[in-house]
Amino acid sequence: MNEESLHQGDEQFQQKIDTISDDVANERGGNVSHQSQTKVDKYKKENETPKENTSMHDESCDELQFQLKTDTMPDDFANEKDGNVLHQSQTKVHKYEKENEALKEKISMHEESCNELQFQLNTDTMPDDIANEKDGNVLHQSQTKSKCAENDIQQYLDGYPDQEDDLMREENYKFFMDEIPSRPNGDYIDTIHNEWWGDYKRLEDNRKYMQWLFPVRAKSCNRQAQELFPHEIKKICDCKEAQDRLILSYKMMLDFYGMQLENEKDGTVVRSDNWEERFANLNRSKHNHNRITRILKCLGELGFEHLKKNFIEFILVEILETKTLVYLQESCCNYWIAILKDPSERAEMRVFYEQLIKNMSDSLT
């Protein structure tokens, strides 16, 4: 199979994806609804207030620092012995700084939510837009993939040829070596593995650790996390200690999703004992679908591309055969298969997907 035929196969597969109805999703409670621009605007509006508050606190904090340095804060404490005025202590400055940090974190959370909503608007398929009244079938108009999403996939497959290496920056490598903690509100990687594993609420609610556990070469909405640089990739791939920690991170997140890595050599994934509870959470949380995209990209960058295909195969079976993860269909078909680096593996997974669709159709007749 030559590259041209594989490319044509990619286009034909995408056309099939864009015209497949959500019959499977309908059986489990209806079509997947998508975030509207209204919600994005709401987050943006909410984002403005904390920014104003932060600005006010920044100004207050700067004024206090200036007063402390220039002795312009009289009447706080009087030294009765010599009549000199003592000035307010650094404690008040620290109070403002603490409040300032809390507001900045609130802004960061708002911005992340806004970015996630905008990403979904740009990339999600939007079913049930047009109903064909003539034959009663619902045609599902797929939103054209945004140029941004298409470019991102292609950049990943091409190895980000335009990215310049920065040898002075290696925070990802240091994190993998347990030398620095993730930021913000994070921890050292060994502590995360030891204390966060199985703490599903923490893993769900904290949105800032994933960019550290699974770094990729594109910038993220976590401004305190560094993008992955080429020299870091080599150092992490050459270090067994760092590689072992990446596998532990992958296993921890699989457990969070209700899965287990059965075979580290070929990436075979199976259900864990609590799969029903965890699958339910995975079905309803779109941001976890985006997290899986990051995980798969990272595995491919850091020497574990061979783990991706069998994970995707497992997900496809759960989507179409057992119908337990029906809401992952769009992400799996449009993104996870697309970021398999080997063209033959992409073609194999598309054939597998189409065979599952055929099996499902045959079972209904």
Side-chain angles (χ1 to χ4, degrees):
M1 184 179 292
N2 58 38
E3 187 68 28
E4 182 179 358
S5 62
L6 284 171
H7 180 68
Q8 292 175 349
D10 287 354
E11 294 181 350
Q12 293 171 358
F13 179 77
Q14 187 58 50
Q15 291 173 0
K16 290 181 181 180
I17 293 299
D18 292 341
T19 58
I20 289 174
S21 67
D22 292 340
D23 294 337
V24 178
N26 291 338
E27 294 179 15
R28 292 300 300 270
N31 296 313
V32 182
S33 60
H34 301 276
Q35 302 285 1
S36 67
Q37 189 66 43
T38 303
K39 195 166 184 180
V40 177
D41 294 339
K42 174 186 174 184
Y43 274 94
K44 288 180 178 177
K45 185 176 181 181
E46 292 175 350
N47 202 16
E48 293 303 317
T49 301
K51 280 185 176 179
E52 294 175 2
N53 291 341
T54 300
S55 177
M56 294 172 62
H57 276 268
D58 281 338
E59 183 177 354
S60 299
C61 192
D62 291 342
E63 288 177 357
L64 287 170
Q65 290 281 12
F66 177 79
Q67 289 169 354
L68 283 168
K69 292 177 181 178
T70 58
D71 296 337
T72 59
M73 294 180 63
D75 302 327
D76 289 334
F77 297 98
N79 186 330
E80 297 179 357
K81 185 175 181 179
D82 56 14
N84 292 324
V85 178
L86 299 177
H87 300 283
Q88 194 172 33
S89 70
Q90 191 72 30
T91 304
K92 193 169 183 179
V93 175
H94 289 162
K95 174 186 174 183
Y96 274 90
E97 289 177 340
K98 187 175 181 180
E99 293 175 352
N100 201 19
E101 288 302 315
L103 285 167
K104 286 180 178 179
E105 175 61 21
K106 187 174 181 181
I107 287 175
S108 179
M109 292 173 64
H110 276 274
E111 288 180 342
E112 180 177 1
S113 298
C114 188
N115 288 340
E116 287 181 357
L117 288 169
Q118 190 64 60
F119 177 80
Q120 291 173 19
L121 282 169
N122 289 341
T123 61
D124 284 354
T125 56
M126 301 181 67
D128 301 328
D129 291 335
I130 301 176
N132 186 336
E133 298 178 357
K134 184 175 181 180
D135 57 14
N137 293 322
V138 178
L139 300 179
H140 303 285
Q141 183 181 30
S142 295
Q143 184 185 33
T144 302
K145 277 188 175 182
S146 69
K147 196 65 178 176
C148 177
E150 291 178 351
N151 287 342
D152 179 69
I153 291 172
Q154 194 58 51
Q155 284 284 307
Y156 174 78
L157 295 177
D158 292 343
Y160 296 92
D162 297 329
Q163 184 191 33
E164 295 183 3
D165 201 0
D166 187 343
L167 299 179
M168 302 300 294
R169 302 181 65 189
E170 52 181 29
E171 290 193 352
N172 292 302
Y173 176 71
K174 290 179 179 179
F175 174 73
F176 271 63
M177 297 307 294
D178 207 38
E179 296 177 5
I180 61 173
S182 61
R183 300 188 304 270
N185 302 324
D187 217 320
Y188 291 86
I189 188 169
D190 285 349
T191 303
I192 291 174
H193 291 155
N194 293 329
E195 299 182 7
W196 294 31
W197 195 311
D199 188 346
Y200 298 143
K201 180 171 174 38
R202 176 185 280 185
L203 294 173
E204 179 69 38
D205 294 344
N206 189 318
R207 303 292 182 89
K208 301 298 186 180
Y209 67 93
M210 287 295 294
Q211 297 86 1
W212 291 87
L213 288 183
F214 302 99
V216 295
R217 295 174 69 176
K219 293 183 179 180
S220 72
C221 57
N222 182 355
R223 291 174 293 180
Q224 297 191 47
Q226 175 201 290
E227 66 268 34
L228 184 65
F229 286 110
H231 75 278
E232 292 183 298
I233 293 175
K234 185 178 187 308
K235 293 180 75 170
I236 293 173
C237 288
D238 290 344
C239 177
K240 185 179 184 304
E241 188 178 354
Q243 293 274 282
D244 289 345
R245 287 190 171 112
L246 177 56
I247 286 294
L248 273 179
S249 296
Y250 182 46
K251 289 179 176 179
M252 182 181 74
M253 293 311 298
L254 286 178
D255 174 74
F256 175 66
Y257 297 135
M259 309 168 197
Q260 291 179 344
L261 182 61
E262 186 178 62
N263 188 325
E264 292 186 21
K265 292 183 178 180
D266 66 9
T268 299
V269 172
V270 297
R271 293 175 176 178
S272 59
D273 292 339
N274 61 344
W275 67 270
E276 290 183 276
E277 170 198 345
R278 302 315 306 161
F279 278 22
N281 180 74
L282 183 54
N283 264 319
R284 64 175 174 260
S285 56
K286 175 65 180 178
H287 76 95
N288 275 306
H289 307 176
N290 297 335
R291 283 176 167 184
I292 291 174
T293 303
R294 169 176 285 274
I295 291 171
L296 294 176
K297 283 183 174 181
C298 179
L299 291 176
E301 295 283 16
L302 296 179
F304 293 98
E305 177 70 23
H306 63 281
L307 300 181
K308 291 161 60 173
K309 182 174 76 72
N310 279 340
F311 171 83
I312 293 171
E313 183 174 313
F314 170 81
I315 294 294
L316 287 173
V317 169
E318 296 291 351
I319 291 170
L320 295 167
E321 194 169 285
T322 65
K323 303 177 184 177
T324 56
L325 290 174
V326 294
Y327 296 119
L328 274 64
Q329 182 169 344
E330 188 272 332
S331 292
C332 186
C333 295
N334 286 341
Y335 298 98
W336 303 343
I337 292 176
I339 57 176
L340 287 168
K341 290 187 175 182
D342 187 339
S344 65
E345 287 191 346
R346 291 201 300 272
E348 180 183 345
M349 284 297 96
R350 285 163 180 159
V351 169
F352 182 65
Y353 171 81
E354 292 170 359
Q355 184 60 50
L356 289 174
I357 289 288
K358 183 179 183 300
N359 294 344
M360 184 181 67
S361 299
D362 291 345
S363 68
L364 297 175
T365 58

